[in-house]
Amino acid sequence: MDELNRKSVMSLLKEDIYDILINTGVTISTAESCTGGNLASLFTYFSGSSTFYKGGVIAYANEVKTNLLGVDAKLLVEDGAVSESVVVEMAKGVQRLLKSDCSIATSGIAGPLGGTVDKPVGTVWIAVVYKTKIITYKQQGDDGREINIIKACGNALRILKEVLVDKY
């Protein structure tokens, strides 16, 4: 994206994804940790989104990941909350919980605190699940908290677009 901001990410959703979701009847749900509801906010910004957006869970705490989304606590200990295995389980969990066709999950370190040598600030794992197809993406690079979150939303929507365009 040329100018990375909320408006550019909203444009991606409106111009490239919204019509596919409206016209195909595909439903979607979100499970967000580091994006803190920003994906849900993007989906619900446009009128008519209730036809495809089922809802979301902001699973900031590990207890929410395990108790509500069904993420295995062992994965959180062994792989950490910011891992491919955890976002896949988060996405599957919200898809199951809200009975949606498709789901997106995010977990990462938006910053400025919380980074480690292995998982520096700006590391975000994203999973998109469509029925039984799973696509994951690891975002890296610290551009500051706000941009890290916007980038994660943009990358999640980019992956969703790829999945939907591939199917429809």
Side-chain angles (χ1 to χ4, degrees):
M1 294 178 205
D2 294 337
E3 182 188 355
L4 191 59
N5 57 36
R6 184 173 167 84
K7 187 175 179 180
S8 65
V9 174
M10 286 174 49
S11 183
L12 170 66
L13 176 60
K14 181 64 174 167
E15 294 172 14
D16 296 337
I17 299 169
Y18 183 85
D19 287 340
I20 295 172
L21 291 169
I22 290 284
N23 294 328
T24 61
V26 171
T27 59
I28 189 162
S29 58
T30 55
E32 302 180 67
S33 187
C34 66
T35 51
N38 278 276
L39 275 170
S41 175
L42 289 167
F43 279 113
T44 59
Y45 184 82
F46 299 105
S47 178
S49 60
S50 62
T51 61
F52 61 81
Y53 185 68
K54 292 270 199 145
V57 173
I58 300 172
Y60 219 64
N62 285 346
E63 304 88 64
V64 177
K65 291 175 180 77
T66 56
N67 296 338
L68 190 58
L69 298 176
V71 174
D72 186 342
K74 187 176 175 183
L75 288 178
L76 289 163
V77 171
E78 292 176 358
D79 300 342
V82 180
S83 64
E84 183 177 34
S85 60
V86 168
V87 292
V88 167
E89 291 305 306
M90 288 171 63
K92 288 179 178 178
V94 78
Q95 183 182 35
R96 183 176 51 251
L97 182 68
L98 299 180
K99 298 174 178 52
S100 61
D101 301 312
C102 188
S103 62
I104 300 173
T106 62
S107 188
I109 305 157
L113 304 175
T116 66
V117 172
D118 293 335
K119 296 177 185 177
V121 170
T123 304
V124 178
W125 274 101
I126 300 163
V128 175
V129 175
Y130 178 75
K131 297 190 178 181
T132 58
K133 182 176 184 172
I134 301 167
I135 297 175
T136 60
Y137 177 77
K138 184 180 183 183
Q139 171 182 304
Q140 294 182 289
D142 181 17
D143 295 307
R145 184 175 183 84
E146 182 179 0
I147 297 298
N148 291 342
I149 291 168
I150 291 169
K151 265 180 30 181
C153 292
N155 283 322
L157 292 175
R158 179 186 52 78
I159 297 164
L160 175 62
K161 177 186 171 187
E162 290 173 18
V163 169
L164 293 174
V165 168
D166 183 45
K167 294 301 288 180
Y168 299 96

